[in-house]
Amino acid sequence: MFAVLKTGGKQYKVQSGDVLRVEKLAAAAGDTVQFNEILMLGGDAPVVGSPNVAGAAVQATVIDQIKGEKLIHFVKRRRKHSSKRTKGHRQQLTLLRITEILEKGAEKSGVMAATGAGSAPTVAEPAPKKAKAAPKAKAEPAAEAAPKKPAAKKAAPKAETAGGDDLKQLSGVGPALEKKLHAAGVTTFAQIAGWSESDIAEMDEKLSFKGRIEREGWVDQAKKLAE
């Protein structure tokens, strides 16, 4: 006799004595669990559920909590970004042995139901009782309304850095990049025009420009714009 059970979004055909690996269950080694989602019972008189077979279940003993084989996920981005990444993953699994297939009476077995490790509790907590409403206080004569305070004026938007140049004229510099340069204290073309090789390397490292300064030719552009 065999059964087809469902757990962790997958279906498994099992017989008594089979050793099975399933998605991690909320159980410890040595526990007995019961699978109640039985889609089919096979044998001399097969039974197909709609969707589950009423009263049927599969019981199993947990052998151990294990990890699956390592899966490698390689991510390669566009050539323009010149970056790549490799990620590894090992799925959490539960190793168990099938001990018994029940054709009926599953609800009376008293065995713990097999649930996923991240499943929420099936029994809802009782709602808190409503507190009795406090007796209404006697109405007192209304006090004179206090004069409303005038609404505060909205703060004016911050002005651009005083005396600074429009750094967006540089090739590849947009509003976001201009903000980064301002935060680093760079506000004029004259500053950029005077950068040495060490200054360029320091700014590349500080703002993660990845060679953008030399690649776009900011220093030469700044010299012309500063004239």
Side-chain angles (χ1 to χ4, degrees):
M1 182 178 182
F2 70 87
V4 177
L5 62 88
K6 181 180 179 181
T7 178
K10 301 180 179 66
Q11 299 176 14
Y12 302 88
K13 178 182 176 183
V14 297
Q15 290 179 315
S16 182
D18 286 353
V19 175
L20 195 63
R21 297 194 311 172
V22 299
E23 297 289 330
K24 187 176 181 180
L25 301 176
D31 290 348
T32 299
V33 295
Q34 179 172 290
F35 296 94
N36 295 316
E37 288 189 85
I38 308 303
L39 307 179
M40 178 182 176
L41 290 174
D44 297 333
V47 181
V48 178
S50 57
N52 299 329
V53 180
V58 172
Q59 295 182 357
T61 301
V62 177
I63 299 173
D64 198 4
Q65 299 288 1
I66 61 173
K67 288 184 179 181
E69 293 79 10
K70 188 169 186 179
L71 302 176
I72 302 299
H73 181 207
F74 178 69
V75 180
K76 185 175 181 180
R77 297 186 179 178
R78 292 177 296 170
R79 175 171 51 86
K80 186 177 180 180
H81 293 270
S82 66
S83 64
K84 59 183 179 180
R85 185 175 66 220
T86 301
K87 298 189 296 183
H89 172 70
R90 294 186 68 184
Q91 183 66 33
Q92 300 280 346
L93 301 172
T94 298
L95 184 67
L96 46 82
R97 186 186 305 278
I98 306 299
T99 55
E100 190 174 358
I101 297 176
L102 303 179
E103 296 184 52
K104 56 183 179 180
E107 63 278 1
K108 299 178 183 179
S109 67
V111 178
M112 177 178 63
T115 56
S119 301
T122 54
V123 180
E125 294 183 1
K129 293 182 179 179
K130 292 184 179 179
K132 291 184 179 179
K136 292 183 179 179
K138 291 182 180 180
E140 296 181 359
E144 293 183 4
K148 292 183 179 179
K149 294 181 179 180
K153 294 183 180 180
K154 291 184 178 179
K158 292 182 180 179
E160 293 184 1
T161 306
D165 295 325
D166 183 8
L167 302 183
K168 294 191 293 296
Q169 295 184 48
L170 295 173
S171 175
V173 177
L177 210 54
E178 186 181 42
K179 286 182 181 179
K180 283 189 175 182
L181 290 167
H182 285 172
V186 181
T187 59
T188 65
F189 296 130
Q191 288 176 275
I192 299 174
W195 281 351
S196 63
E197 291 185 2
S198 60
D199 293 333
I200 293 172
E202 182 182 351
M203 196 61 64
D204 265 339
E205 179 68 24
K206 184 176 181 180
L207 299 181
S208 300
F209 281 164
K210 299 180 180 179
R212 179 190 293 269
I213 298 172
E214 291 187 355
R215 188 167 61 251
E216 301 289 353
W218 286 1
V219 175
D220 292 336
Q221 293 180 43
K223 288 178 181 178
K224 293 179 182 179
L225 292 169
E227 292 176 356

